[in-house]
Amino acid sequence: MRALCLKKFIVITLPILAALVFSLEVNARTNSTLENQGDLIFSNLKESKEKSRVKNSDYNFALIDNYRKFYLEDEKLEYFCRENSSKLRFKNIFERDEFYRSIVATLQYKMINYSMQAIAHYAKKLQFESDQYDNLVNGLIGSCSKNLTLFSHRLLKHLFTKYYSDSSIDKLRLPYSQRENLFASNVNEIQSENEVVVNELYYTTGVFSYACSWGGQEKYLRNLAPFLSSSLVMSYIVREISALDSHVYKDQLNDGKVANCRNQICRPYKKAKVQKEIVRPIGSSNLNFDLKVAYCDNFKFASKKFSPSANDSLKNQLKKFEKDENIVIAQFVSLLTRVPEFNVWTQDSKTIKRYVSVSNDSLWDYWAKDLLEKNSNKLPYEEALSMKLDVKTSNDSILRHGYPEVNFVVLNGEFDKATNIDNMVSLKFEIEIPHNDFMWLYRNIRSAKTFDDKEKSKELKERLSLYVANDYNKIKETLNQFSVDADLTTVITDELIRQFNYIEFLRPKSSHGTREKIDVRVNIAPFALVAIRNKRIISELSERDLKNIKSLEVLNNIESMAEKAK
């Protein structure tokens, strides 16, 4: 079931929110990771400029934020089960059954309360006649267990009638009504609103029928078993009974009540009252912990069981949703969060594929259009070549060899920035310094730095730059061919001074009377290399064309002079 619910094909008109929904599938390894998962992304997102571009953005952001947190609670409960092996102990079997019965009754209450009001809304939206609605309601109540204690059959009938005549039911924002806010217009054109409402109504009747099938026996869970074994659904129930924020949509369907059972009679009460009166295990100090253990140790492995006295006609009535249990659960989650589920709207594989493809196209179109609008006035015709010191590579070399090495990189665009140094073409030349001068410069540069002697530092820099300029000038013309047309003497000198101060223990390569050779590498990334090549080709073609034009001018001048001579 979780696979179905988690892998939702939802594309929000705000592109980054789509990624946010998919990111909920991340399987976090630690509880701290779970606590913070996505929070940084979402907090940045709420402050982004994108927010102002979306209609009803505050409403949409709150909806998606709660939706993300709702699924995150599922991951946290799964993590709790993996990390805890606690067991609950009770004074006797009766208290044990009452505790578990209260949990199941709370789920039953939530499912019936949500589904009844939603069914009334859907029926009014589809313009059911009174007799059509009565037939629907009578059929639904007929599938209920006769041993219901939360609601009598008569009360269910009364509430269905009351909700149908209540004008406030018309204002409910059920999953289908979020299409306009959450999805691109061409996504909403795949199915008509009427078709979507019909399907949501159908599976909401499944939610009601499954909830109504349970007769209060903790041993025989009947069709509530798939809901009780779902960590997604039960993480919500655990937080509801614990009076914690369950991250559901806030309106009249969320009435703030949970169930408590005494002597096999269950009734809905306010959360504060239930927390005081609910049966607790021996040694209980935290109700939320107890409820989580109850899921991990008991409900996680729940299976459908009917008592021997169960009516065969009741079992047959519930079989029509047997193949679609996952979708019934998904619709219940949608009613809680109000974020629609495509799998509820259609079971046709071609239509679902179309939802995916159209959603991806819409996401791409939105991104592309937005990018063009933002950058059309500042887009250059080509990205400029850039050359910079590669301090990281130089430092790595220093740590390995204890000897200076200067590295530059030539880049063209974002892809080059991600290119590894090993995949670049490297040009190398050497700065040669006599060994004695090299060691003298090293010691004195460090000393001047230590004592903050600016005059001495300036003199040392001038002396070092003479050695750099001597060898750099030999290679300068060659580097100019690779678009390195700046004078790098000062840059290389400053970098060598930085490296002398960085190297704690210098390991010279030569000995007294010889010369030290410092490598200077210019590493050219692939796209930069292509750009340099193209620039050179264009330059050569331009020079050739210019020569042809000059030759033609000379020829024309000769012909003109010959004409005048005649």
Side-chain angles (χ1 to χ4, degrees):
M1 192 285 296
R2 288 181 63 252
L4 173 72
C5 289
L6 283 172
K7 295 179 180 175
K8 298 172 73 67
F9 299 116
I10 292 181
V11 175
I12 311 304
T13 51
L14 188 63
I16 197 166
L17 289 181
L20 194 62
V21 172
F22 283 109
S23 75
L24 299 173
E25 296 185 61
V26 175
N27 183 18
R29 293 179 181 272
T30 67
N31 201 34
S32 60
T33 303
L34 286 169
E35 290 287 355
N36 299 319
Q37 185 182 349
D39 285 337
L40 180 61
I41 296 172
F42 203 86
S43 61
N44 291 339
L45 179 61
K46 285 193 286 189
E47 302 304 322
S48 73
K49 293 180 181 178
E50 299 294 339
K51 184 177 176 182
S52 63
R53 305 182 185 191
V54 183
K55 183 181 177 184
N56 301 325
S57 58
D58 288 328
Y59 172 83
N60 287 335
F61 272 77
L63 188 72
I64 298 302
D65 187 25
N66 278 325
Y67 182 66
R68 177 185 66 83
K69 289 174 181 175
F70 188 89
Y71 272 90
L72 189 57
E73 292 301 331
D74 166 39
E75 294 289 342
K76 288 161 73 174
L77 183 56
E78 286 285 352
Y79 174 82
F80 179 89
C81 291
R82 290 196 300 271
E83 299 298 316
N84 286 275
S85 57
S86 304
K87 303 287 182 182
L88 300 180
R89 291 177 175 80
F90 296 84
K91 290 180 182 178
N92 52 60
I93 191 68
F94 302 107
E95 288 198 357
R96 177 195 177 280
D97 288 352
E98 293 287 78
F99 179 73
Y100 286 115
R101 186 178 289 112
S102 295
I103 298 172
V104 181
T106 297
L107 172 62
Q108 183 184 50
Y109 175 75
K110 293 296 181 182
M111 290 172 66
I112 291 177
N113 183 55
Y114 270 86
S115 59
M116 274 198 301
Q117 297 183 64
I119 287 167
H121 175 94
Y122 289 132
K124 293 180 78 173
K125 180 73 177 175
L126 295 169
Q127 299 180 341
F128 274 35
E129 298 291 341
S130 295
D131 57 338
Q132 289 178 308
Y133 182 68
D134 288 341
N135 289 336
L136 172 64
V137 168
N138 290 334
L140 289 171
I141 296 175
S143 68
C144 291
S145 167
K146 293 179 181 179
N147 298 321
L148 269 179
T149 59
L150 279 170
F151 303 89
S152 66
H153 285 212
R154 181 180 294 179
L155 179 58
L156 288 174
K157 176 69 174 178
H158 168 74
L159 290 174
F160 268 122
T161 305
K162 174 190 170 185
Y163 294 143
Y164 190 71
S165 59
D166 187 353
S167 59
S168 66
I169 286 291
D170 300 339
K171 299 174 184 176
L172 287 178
R173 303 188 75 167
L174 296 184
Y176 77 89
S177 62
Q178 306 290 3
R179 298 199 316 162
E180 199 173 311
N181 286 322
L182 296 181
F183 304 126
S185 57
N186 52 350
V187 175
N188 296 331
E189 291 168 3
I190 295 175
Q191 286 179 280
S192 67
E193 184 179 72
N194 203 61
E195 185 182 353
V196 168
V197 172
V198 167
N199 283 319
E200 287 193 13
L201 170 59
Y202 176 74
Y203 288 107
T204 304
T205 63
V207 174
F208 180 87
S209 298
Y210 271 39
C212 226
S213 70
W214 184 60
Q217 292 177 289
E218 188 271 330
K219 191 184 296 185
Y220 302 110
L221 299 172
R222 298 189 177 182
N223 283 54
L224 276 184
F227 287 83
L228 289 163
S229 63
S230 164
S231 57
L232 180 63
V233 173
M234 291 307 291
S235 63
Y236 157 69
I237 297 299
V238 165
R239 292 183 71 79
E240 278 290 289
I241 301 175
S242 305
L244 300 172
D245 187 354
S246 52
H247 313 300
V248 297
Y249 192 86
K250 307 295 190 294
D251 66 0
Q252 68 191 62
L253 271 64
N254 181 32
D255 64 358
K257 291 182 179 180
V258 294
N260 191 25
C261 302
R262 288 290 190 200
N263 300 319
Q264 298 190 359
I265 304 297
C266 302
R267 294 284 187 268
Y269 302 102
K270 291 294 183 182
K271 295 175 186 177
K273 180 178 174 65
V274 171
Q275 283 194 310
K276 289 179 183 178
E277 297 181 358
I278 192 171
V279 172
R280 298 281 191 101
I282 295 172
S284 171
S285 60
N286 186 308
L287 180 58
N288 181 258
F289 180 86
D290 298 338
L291 293 168
K292 288 179 180 177
V293 173
Y295 166 74
C296 300
D297 189 42
N298 189 358
F299 295 122
K300 187 174 184 179
F301 311 102
S303 59
K304 286 184 187 178
K305 285 183 181 179
F306 287 81
S307 62
S309 60
N311 195 326
D312 288 336
S313 63
L314 173 62
K315 296 179 185 178
N316 292 331
Q317 280 181 325
L318 294 169
K319 277 185 178 178
K320 68 176 180 178
F321 294 107
E322 197 166 30
K323 293 182 180 178
D324 297 326
E325 278 178 357
N326 289 340
I327 302 175
V328 175
I329 295 171
Q331 175 59 10
F332 178 55
V333 172
S334 289
L335 290 174
L336 295 173
T337 62
R338 305 304 162 83
V339 175
E341 167 65 73
F342 287 168
N343 293 284
V344 171
W345 292 353
T346 180
Q347 284 72 60
D348 179 56
S349 59
K350 290 183 180 178
T351 306
I352 291 177
K353 285 180 182 177
R354 194 173 168 208
Y355 269 120
V356 177
S357 62
V358 171
S359 298
N360 288 337
D361 290 344
S362 299
L363 185 62
W364 172 263
D365 291 344
Y366 179 92
W367 174 82
K369 184 179 177 182
D370 185 63
L371 186 69
L372 288 173
E373 286 177 357
K374 286 194 292 187
N375 297 324
S376 58
N377 295 327
K378 61 180 182 181
L379 276 175
Y381 289 102
E382 62 176 322
E383 293 195 68
L385 284 166
S386 64
M387 180 179 184
K388 62 180 183 179
L389 282 166
D390 188 352
V391 176
K392 182 180 182 302
T393 302
S394 298
N395 287 348
D396 289 345
S397 176
I398 289 169
L399 291 172
R400 288 196 304 272
H401 307 298
Y403 196 82
E405 178 184 289
V406 181
N407 282 274
F408 291 93
V409 286
V410 180
L411 308 172
N412 181 240
E414 294 298 319
F415 286 104
D416 276 351
K417 290 179 183 178
T419 303
N420 190 285
I421 195 78
D422 296 329
N423 296 323
M424 298 184 185
V425 174
S426 183
L427 302 175
K428 188 188 85 168
F429 67 96
E430 295 168 338
I431 305 295
E432 295 189 6
I433 304 175
H435 175 79
N436 290 345
D437 283 8
F438 179 80
M439 297 304 296
W440 181 85
L441 283 167
Y442 171 72
R443 288 191 299 271
N444 282 278
I445 285 171
R446 290 177 64 84
S447 174
K449 171 78 172 177
T450 302
F451 296 104
D452 196 22
D453 190 339
K454 293 180 180 177
E455 281 295 322
K456 189 173 183 182
S457 294
K458 185 178 178 182
E459 291 174 11
L460 292 166
K461 180 177 179 179
E462 288 174 357
R463 182 159 181 174
L464 178 60
S465 68
L466 293 174
Y467 289 111
V468 172
N470 183 56
D471 289 306
Y472 171 67
N473 289 332
K474 297 175 185 176
I475 197 77
K476 190 173 181 179
E477 271 191 43
T478 304
L479 290 177
N480 284 345
Q481 295 177 24
F482 291 91
S483 298
V484 183
D485 53 2
D487 190 339
L488 300 180
T489 303
T490 303
V491 178
I492 295 172
T493 303
D494 288 340
E495 174 62 7
L496 285 174
I497 290 171
R498 183 194 73 81
Q499 293 189 20
F500 281 157
N501 286 311
Y502 182 73
I503 299 170
E504 292 289 338
F505 303 102
L506 183 67
R507 298 199 293 270
K509 293 181 179 178
S510 62
S511 56
H512 179 74
T514 57
R515 302 177 76 84
E516 297 287 346
K517 296 180 180 180
I518 303 170
D519 290 342
V520 179
R521 299 179 185 274
V522 180
N523 303 298
I524 306 173
F527 284 92
L529 196 63
V530 172
I532 291 168
R533 177 180 176 276
N534 291 340
K535 190 172 182 179
R536 185 166 182 173
I537 290 171
I538 292 170
S539 177
E540 288 175 353
L541 289 174
S542 298
E543 288 177 9
R544 188 192 67 187
D545 291 343
L546 187 62
K547 286 178 184 177
N548 290 340
I549 290 169
K550 287 182 178 178
S551 298
L552 185 60
E553 285 177 353
V554 170
L555 184 62
N556 287 338
N557 288 337
I558 292 172
E559 288 178 354
S560 176
M561 290 169 64
E563 285 292 328
K564 289 178 181 178
K566 288 180 181 178

